[in-house]
Amino acid sequence: MTRQDDLAKLIRSVISGIVFSSIIIFVTLFVPLMGFFMAVILPMPLLYYRLKLGRKPGVIIAMAVLSVTAGVTGGPSIDMLFYAAMLMVGFLLGECLENHFSAEKTIGITVMATTAICSAIFFLYAESAGDGMMEMVATYVKANLTLTMTLYKEMGMPQENIELITRSIETIQYVLIRLIPALVITMLTFIAWINTLSIKRILGRKGITLASLTDLNQWKAPERLVWVIILSGLTLMVPGKGIKILALNTILILMPVYFFQGIAIVSYLFEKRRFPPMLRLFIYSIIAIQQIFILLIVGIGFFDTWIDFRKIGVTAADPEP
């Protein structure tokens, strides 16, 4: 294959990455019912092509997609910042996986770096618009709460429930604004986790194995982390709004960690018991759409610190002859 052929193939791949990412963004903008689910996989095309083509083509794809998004959305906005964050997640996951970082290090670096960079961009955007950061966040939250109340009315929610929520709207707004750091980090963590698992499966079908992503169903959070949760829970009983908000943010940030550990346990048991793929998919789907099961999985991950459902510690300490 000549150098010109290699260049032509590279250009076609870059264009494919731009097209796939742009299609996902268009769906999130113009097909609201599918928007949320498509937004979750938005990092995937950039992650895939970053690993396939390298850093520079990945940057070109990201910049081109952002330019297309800016043209569609009409310029800088909070929505565009969200799309930039999703692309950043894909690119940073690719950087970490290419350097063979562990799964927790890959997701941790990606989430923290994306949060820091996007927070700085949002701060500059708010200042340039003449509004403070907190004022812009408050306006955005209030607008979304108003929209939510309108949707509740259109859905036929009982009037007494609507009046109750309306009377509490200021309290809800106060709490939501102060929980935004945890909510953003939690959202990015789940999205990074989903795309990491997806790229593992995609590459696996091509016969490519990432050593850092093997045996994920045996993953455990650091044991000392559980005491941070316990201490934060006890702090919720201490008087003072500020310290309670800090404790609640900490708990929300760490909940995905124990959810991942719980899911790892479920996956381990599925593999050990040889559950059929369709049954696994059905159970995973139930977990995804039922909040009570999500909390159950978090609980399983949390108490695995002491119970050791997979008996990993026992196996490590007493290997079979």
Side-chain angles (χ1 to χ4, degrees):
M1 185 177 289
T2 65
R3 185 173 180 180
Q4 287 79 6
D5 291 334
D6 289 337
L7 181 59
K9 185 177 180 181
L10 175 62
I11 293 173
R12 286 196 300 269
S13 295
V14 169
I15 293 173
S16 297
I18 296 170
V19 170
F20 288 148
S21 298
S22 299
I23 288 173
I24 293 174
I25 289 175
F26 290 154
V27 171
T28 64
L29 287 170
F30 303 113
V31 189
L33 291 177
M34 294 180 60
F36 172 78
F37 299 101
M38 296 301 288
V40 170
I41 64 169
L42 178 54
M44 181 52 57
L46 186 56
L47 168 57
Y48 175 78
Y49 285 103
R50 166 63 189 86
L51 290 173
K52 178 182 179 180
L53 305 177
R55 181 177 296 131
K56 289 183 178 178
V59 171
I60 292 172
I61 292 172
M63 297 307 294
V65 173
L66 279 177
S67 299
V68 172
T69 306
V72 175
T73 59
S77 64
I78 294 180
D79 290 336
M80 187 173 172
L81 181 60
F82 169 77
Y83 294 125
M86 295 300 98
L87 294 172
M88 201 177 301
V89 166
F91 185 83
L92 291 174
L93 284 176
E95 288 285 319
C96 293
L97 291 174
E98 187 175 69
N99 285 282
H100 307 291
F101 291 166
S102 63
E104 60 266 31
K105 195 172 181 180
T106 294
I107 293 176
I109 290 175
T110 297
V111 171
M112 291 300 104
T114 302
T115 302
I117 294 171
C118 289
S119 296
I121 294 172
F122 181 62
F123 174 78
L124 295 174
Y125 171 69
E127 291 298 318
S128 65
D131 298 321
M133 193 172 181
M134 289 299 294
E135 288 78 6
M136 183 169 285
V137 169
T139 301
Y140 188 78
V141 170
K142 186 175 182 180
N144 278 274
L145 287 175
T146 302
L147 178 60
T148 302
M149 290 301 301
T150 303
L151 291 174
Y152 283 161
K153 291 176 182 177
E154 292 176 354
M155 291 168 58
M157 177 179 282
Q159 186 61 31
E160 58 270 21
N161 291 350
I162 292 177
E163 291 176 356
L164 176 62
I165 296 174
T166 302
R167 287 194 298 270
S168 306
I169 201 76
E170 291 186 4
T171 303
I172 296 171
Q173 181 179 344
Y174 175 88
V175 174
L176 278 179
I177 291 172
R178 284 152 184 81
L179 291 182
I180 280 179
L183 295 175
V184 169
I185 292 173
T186 299
M187 177 193 71
L188 291 176
T189 302
F190 272 107
I191 290 174
W193 175 68
I194 290 170
N195 282 273
T196 299
L197 293 183
S198 299
I199 198 66
K200 177 188 176 184
R201 183 174 293 274
I202 290 171
L203 295 178
R205 290 176 178 175
K206 295 179 176 293
I208 302 172
T209 301
L210 296 175
S212 58
L213 299 182
T214 56
D215 299 325
L216 287 182
N217 61 5
Q218 296 188 32
W219 181 82
K220 288 190 70 172
E223 291 190 2
R224 283 181 286 186
L225 200 62
V226 73
W227 297 108
V228 178
I229 290 276
I230 293 172
L231 180 61
S232 298
L234 294 173
T235 304
L236 290 176
M237 296 183 286
V238 176
K241 290 183 179 179
I243 194 167
K244 286 184 177 180
I245 290 294
L246 178 61
L248 194 53
N249 272 280
T250 302
I251 291 171
L252 288 175
I253 289 171
L254 292 179
M255 278 185 68
V257 174
Y258 289 101
F259 176 81
F260 300 155
Q261 184 164 326
I263 282 291
I265 294 168
V266 172
S267 175
Y268 178 86
L269 295 176
F270 283 170
E271 186 175 314
K272 185 176 181 180
R273 302 296 180 183
R274 297 182 180 179
F275 277 40
M278 289 305 297
L279 181 56
R280 298 186 191 190
L281 178 61
F282 174 75
I283 295 175
Y284 284 137
S285 300
I286 294 297
I287 292 172
I289 62 178
Q290 291 291 336
Q291 294 178 349
I292 186 66
F293 288 112
I294 293 177
L295 293 175
L296 177 62
I297 295 299
V298 171
I300 290 173
F302 181 78
F303 287 105
D304 184 55
T305 304
W306 297 282
I307 299 175
D308 192 10
F309 292 103
R310 294 162 290 185
K311 306 304 178 187
I312 295 175
V314 173
T315 304
D318 304 301
E320 293 182 3

